[in-house]
Amino acid sequence: QVQLTESGGGSVQPGGSLTLSCAASGRSFSSDFLGWFRQPPGGRREFVAEISWSDGRTYYIDSAKGRFTISRDKVKNTVELQMNNLKPEDTAVYSCAQRQDSTSGYAFWGRGTQVLVSS
């Protein structure tokens, strides 16, 4: 079992920044991928970014490239999503998720944290 707990959501004006954090526990990670997903109001959940726990390779949805940065801390067992130049369309519940390796689907999910971008 993997437990994931998100924090860092909130309200911000367009152009602002937020950093989301995901604390992971339950077992040690090796070939795992940790990712961030979001679900906008009335919308479907979509992939935002993920990072390889072993070598730090990162992947982003096109709309996040150049604005968001995903990183991991192997000592603290956390994954962060630094979000800059936020736009109203970034408003969503952001969730952290884990998959065992590059061929597996995401199996464990956090409860999510709300991000609201509004003037």
Side-chain angles (χ1 to χ4, degrees), residues 3-48:
Q3 292 82 43
L4 303 169
T5 305
E6 302 93 339
S7 61
S11 297
V12 65
Q13 293 186 341
S17 299
L18 280 175
T19 299
L20 306 182
S21 183
C22 173
S25 63
R27 65 169 180 81
S28 58
F29 298 137
S30 55
S31 59
D32 306 70
F33 285 72
L34 277 292
W36 286 95
F37 290 73
R38 66 185 180 187
Q39 185 167 14
R44 299 178 65 179
R45 184 168 62 193
E46 66 175 357
F47 168 84
V48 177

Side-chain angles (χ1 to χ4, degrees), residues 54-108:
S54 60
D55 61 14
R57 285 172 295 152
T58 58
Y59 306 90
Y60 297 91
I61 190 174
D62 283 348
S63 61
K65 291 178 181 177
R67 298 190 301 128
F68 294 3
T69 302
I70 188 170
S71 61
R72 89 269 196 240
D73 187 320
K74 288 188 171 184
V75 174
K76 296 180 180 178
N77 247 29
T78 57
V79 175
E80 287 194 346
L81 185 68
Q82 171 69 43
M83 304 185 295
N84 298 322
N85 190 21
L86 282 161
K87 305 175 181 181
E89 52 264 41
D90 294 317
T91 293
V93 175
Y94 285 71
S95 299
C96 177
Q98 174 270 349
R99 60 184 178 130
Q100 189 169 348
D101 53 47
S102 62
T103 64
S104 301
Y106 278 91
F108 295 98

